[in-house]
Amino acid sequence: AQSVTQLDSQVPVFEEAPVELRCNYSSSVSVYLFWYVQYPNQGLQLLLKYLSGSTLVKGINGFEAEFNKSQTSFHLRKPSVHISDTAEYFCAVTHGRSGGYQKVTFGTGTKLQVIP
Amino acid sequence: DADVTQTPRNRITKTGKRIMLECSQTKGHDRMYWYRQDPGLGLRLIYYSFDVKDINKGEISDGYSVSRQAQAKFSLSLESAIPNQTALYFCATSDFSGGIVDTQYFGPGTRLTVL
């Protein structure tokens, strides 16, 4: 079984400050990890994904995430946030079995509020 | 134009009514999904379809049915809506083209309120 935990339901941060959104996962096998962003009144948009290789993954809009297998974490970071980053962020995990249905488990989301 | 579209975007209905939510995609993907999103619960899978003849239940299919009319169209129906089906509904697509992992692409969502 796989699970995802996003401990912070809301994260307020001042504009131009750095931010880290935390994601921890649980799985007995290898996993593949995603971060999605949901802007107000919109669907989920893929920010970045970790499949293999370098543990530091760069995504769109200046976001990056680091896969840490020993700590089973995939935290999302941005060095300097903008008002436009105000949104809800979802971490997701899958086992990625070849061919068949790949169950994707989503976290409960973290609302990032950027304060002017 | 959006790759994944959903209609309607908002719907208010009454308990007991039949409701259909529609999803269309121009991405050419074979795989399509319906999720519902509730505050504090993340996204939960209702149904998924790998092609027109392949439809499967997800985690929370009770009270819902689907129809895959074509590769590009996947509809979700609530035969007799109830208030606890009030939620945000998302359609998604993916294209497993022999790689390791599906990546899902989401529509803008339909906000459904059942009174």
Side-chain angles (χ1 to χ4, degrees), chain A residues 9-10 16 83 86 89 99 115:
Chain A
S9 59
Q10 296 191 54
E16 298 184 4
I83 293 290
T86 295
Y89 293 78
I115 305 164

Side-chain angles (χ1 to χ4, degrees), chain A residues 32 34 36 38 41-46 49 51-52 88 90 94-109, chain B residues 9 31 33 35 37 39-45 48 50 59 88 90 96 98-109 111:
Chain A
Y32 305 94
F34 305 83
Y36 285 88
Q38 184 180 25
N41 299 313
Q42 295 186 28
L44 277 71
Q45 178 182 355
L46 182 68
K49 60 185 175 184
L51 302 182
S52 64
E88 190 161 16
F90 291 91
T94 184
H95 290 313
R97 291 192 189 88
S98 178
Y101 168 59
Q102 300 181 3
K103 177 181 171 67
V104 180
T105 301
F106 290 85
T108 53
Chain B
R9 293 294 311 279
R31 301 181 172 192
Y33 309 79
Y35 288 91
Q37 182 185 27
L41 293 180
L43 277 73
R44 293 180 292 169
L45 182 67
Y48 65 98
F50 280 6
E59 307 169 59
L88 190 54
F90 286 105
F96 184 76
I100 299 172
V101 176
D102 265 339
T103 298
Q104 295 188 9
Y105 299 89
F106 288 81
R111 186 169 297 281

Side-chain angles (χ1 to χ4, degrees), chain A:
Chain A
Q2 61 194 31
S3 66
V4 177
T5 301
Q6 293 181 249
L7 286 173
D8 304 310
S9 59
Q10 296 191 54
V11 173
V13 62
F14 285 104
E15 193 174 17
E16 298 184 4
V19 69
E20 178 179 83
L21 305 183
R22 297 181 294 168
C23 173
N24 288 89
Y25 68 90
S26 174
S27 175
S28 57
V29 297
S30 297
V31 295
Y32 305 94
L33 295 147
F34 305 83
W35 274 100
Y36 285 88
V37 58
Q38 184 180 25
Y39 297 107
N41 299 313
Q42 295 186 28
L44 277 71
Q45 178 182 355
L46 182 68
L47 262 183
L48 51 80
K49 60 185 175 184
Y50 171 76
L51 302 182
S52 64
S54 173
T55 57
L56 184 62
V57 181
K58 294 190 182 297
I60 62 172
N61 301 338
F63 283 93
E64 63 182 29
E66 185 160 17
F67 172 61
N68 188 320
K69 188 174 181 179
S70 62
Q71 297 186 7
T72 60
S73 67
F74 190 54
H75 300 331
L76 181 70
R77 302 186 183 101
K78 187 169 182 177
S80 175
V81 296
H82 301 288
I83 293 290
S84 59
D85 293 323
T86 295
E88 190 161 16
Y89 293 78
F90 291 91
C91 183
V93 63
T94 184
H95 290 313
R97 291 192 189 88
S98 178
Y101 168 59
Q102 300 181 3
K103 177 181 171 67
V104 180
T105 301
F106 290 85
T108 53
T110 298
K111 291 185 179 178
L112 175 62
Q113 182 184 6
V114 180
I115 305 164

